Amino acid sequence: MIKGETGRFIQVIILCVLVAGPLICLPVAAAPVAISGPTVITAPGNYILTRDIVSSSTVRCIEIRAPNVVFDGQGHLISGSGQPGTSGVYVASGLSSGPVTIRDVKVKNWDQGITISTTRASIERCTATENTQGITLRFAAGTRITGCTASNNTRMGLDLHDTTRAVLTRNTLTGNAAGIGLLTSPGATVYSNTITKNTWGVVAESSNNPVIKNNLFVMNGEAIVLSHSTGAVISGNRIIPPVGSGEVGAE
């Protein structure tokens, strides 16, 4: 009798451990922090924009100064004054301890719509329209820009400076001076983008070993321009009108 009761007691303890264990071990996710106006982010976490920010006079409307941050614009617009040196979303340098993700935000009428100055950042499904530069990377090694749209920016849609191993894919670049500009940014991968009606489609200057493949170029002044850039891999691109009318150049 005692032996049987002891066995049942042990079974009950084991069952309680199995049932209660996951309840104790599972972490509770923190709720996103809501943002409704110009903000400086100084702590890791998830942040969401809850409304449009229109005609902001700030120099940097959303400024991120912490690693391990996800900023989700939820499709909202951040528009500015168009003054030199301004940026709709700005990610500071030196955040090497963790990545930063910017997603689903629209930026308009800034000097630089989105500016990234840290490594391993990710920019997803953002729209940059009527800025001087749409999205700018500076010293932002390993950054990915995916599914974004940059249109009618007076200089470059995607503007890379001193940024190694960037990956630019499934973006739409329309009506900019240059769709994608690579300046001293070696090892960039540019693939599966749609690049339409820019003065230059992709310009690589002093940017060795770019991979430019499987992109669609439509009615650009020149599709691909390489200047002092060696080791380029160019394949699988579709160019309309076809090569032969000044669409691919090298200096």
Side-chain angles (χ1 to χ4, degrees):
M1 184 68 177
I2 296 175
K3 181 178 180 181
E5 290 179 353
T6 303
R8 285 193 296 273
F9 179 70
I10 293 173
Q11 290 176 355
V12 170
I13 292 176
I14 293 173
L15 180 61
C16 290
V17 170
L18 291 175
V19 172
L23 298 177
I24 295 171
C25 295
L26 285 176
V28 178
V33 178
I35 294 174
S36 59
T39 302
V40 179
I41 295 173
T42 58
N46 294 337
Y47 297 81
I48 57 173
L49 186 62
T50 58
R51 66 176 182 85
D52 293 350
I53 303 174
V54 179
S55 300
S56 174
S57 60
T58 56
V59 175
R60 298 169 179 170
C61 190
I62 304 296
E63 184 171 357
I64 299 174
R65 293 195 167 276
N68 295 307
V69 165
V70 175
F71 173 72
D72 188 341
Q74 299 193 117
H76 288 294
L77 170 69
I78 301 175
S79 66
S81 63
Q83 295 301 308
T86 59
S87 186
V89 179
Y90 177 88
V91 182
S93 61
L95 307 182
S96 59
S97 60
V100 171
T101 299
I102 310 297
R103 65 168 63 113
D104 291 319
V105 67
K106 300 174 183 177
V107 288
K108 181 178 180 180
N109 201 29
W110 298 92
D111 187 18
Q112 298 174 353
I114 298 174
T115 307
I116 305 290
S117 298
T118 192
T119 60
R120 298 187 297 126
S122 179
I123 307 171
E124 306 167 358
R125 304 184 301 275
C126 293
T127 300
T129 305
E130 298 179 15
N131 308 281
T132 303
Q133 309 277 24
I135 298 173
T136 296
L137 307 183
R138 294 183 182 274
F139 302 100
T143 290
R144 298 181 66 90
I145 303 178
T146 307
C148 294
T149 297
S151 61
N152 300 316
N153 299 286
T154 55
R155 295 186 66 186
M156 298 182 189
L158 307 182
D159 172 36
L160 278 63
H161 289 254
D162 302 294
T163 293
T164 60
R165 305 183 310 280
V167 176
L168 316 176
T169 181
R170 301 195 304 277
N171 302 292
T172 300
L173 299 316
T174 304
N176 309 284
I180 296 173
L182 310 174
L183 177 62
T184 58
S185 295
T189 299
V190 179
Y191 73 96
S192 297
N193 301 283
T194 300
I195 305 171
T196 303
K197 294 183 180 179
N198 305 279
T199 305
W200 300 279
V202 176
V203 179
E205 182 175 345
S206 301
S207 298
N208 294 335
N209 305 311
V211 176
I212 304 171
K213 62 188 299 184
N214 298 340
N215 301 285
L216 173 62
F217 294 89
V218 180
M219 297 180 67
N220 300 281
E222 290 183 282
I224 301 169
V225 177
L226 304 178
S227 177
H228 307 291
S229 300
T230 62
V233 176
I234 301 174
S235 67
N237 301 291
R238 185 182 179 193
I239 299 175
I240 303 171
V243 175
S245 56
E247 285 286 321
V248 179
E251 296 179 5

